[in-house]
Amino acid sequence: MPNKKSTLRQRRHNRIRSKITGTAERPRLVVFRSLNHIYAQVIDDTKGIILVSSSDLKTKTKGKKTDKAKDIGMAIAESAKSKKIEKVVFDRNGYKYHGRVKALAEGAREGGLQF
């Protein structure tokens, strides 16, 4: 049985997903964080495909988790811009907009994504 914290996050995620969808013009930037790593994906929900993905497993940067998250945000923005994606919808996946999630979002904004 999942713990209460993950159940509440899943509820928040379902509530957010009922309002947010990614289209071809404006795909969805999804963040997933585990205890040790952070992942980001740009998804087109109309076709059901992942356009761009990045994680801190691919980059071997050293430092704090928030610094890695900011680097992942910049990397995903660079990858998205190479596929001509300028605007996205940010999906925090039920997590609080704080810490690593906020750092990833700021990195993506610095990289040139608009949301």
Side-chain angles (χ1 to χ4, degrees):
M1 184 169 133
N3 63 9
K4 185 177 179 184
K5 199 177 259 193
S6 65
T7 305
L8 292 175
R9 186 194 70 78
Q10 191 62 44
R11 276 188 182 169
R12 282 191 302 271
H13 172 64
N14 292 338
R15 190 169 53 243
I16 291 167
R17 283 290 288 129
S18 69
K19 300 170 188 169
I20 293 177
T21 57
T23 61
E25 302 86 39
R26 202 166 170 153
R28 182 169 55 102
L29 172 62
V30 185
V31 177
F32 176 76
R33 66 179 178 89
S34 66
L35 290 176
N36 297 318
H37 303 290
I38 191 154
Y39 309 86
Q41 296 177 334
V42 176
I43 301 174
D44 180 3
D45 288 322
T46 56
K47 294 181 183 175
I49 57 171
I50 297 171
L51 304 171
V52 179
S53 67
S54 183
S55 71
D56 64 345
L57 295 172
K58 293 180 183 176
T59 61
K60 300 294 180 188
T61 57
K62 300 282 184 183
K64 294 182 180 181
K65 293 179 188 178
T66 52
D67 297 336
K68 289 181 186 179
K70 192 167 189 174
D71 291 342
I72 295 306
M74 289 184 172
I76 195 107
E78 184 179 316
S79 300
K81 287 183 83 174
S82 70
K83 293 205 173 192
K84 296 182 175 62
I85 299 170
E86 296 288 327
K87 294 183 178 183
V88 295
V89 177
F90 187 68
D91 181 4
R92 58 189 175 90
N93 210 356
Y95 300 110
K96 291 181 181 179
Y97 187 78
H98 177 65
R100 289 189 280 164
V101 176
K102 184 178 179 182
L104 190 138
E106 289 172 353
R109 282 192 186 107
E110 286 179 19
L113 286 180
Q114 295 176 352
F115 54 91

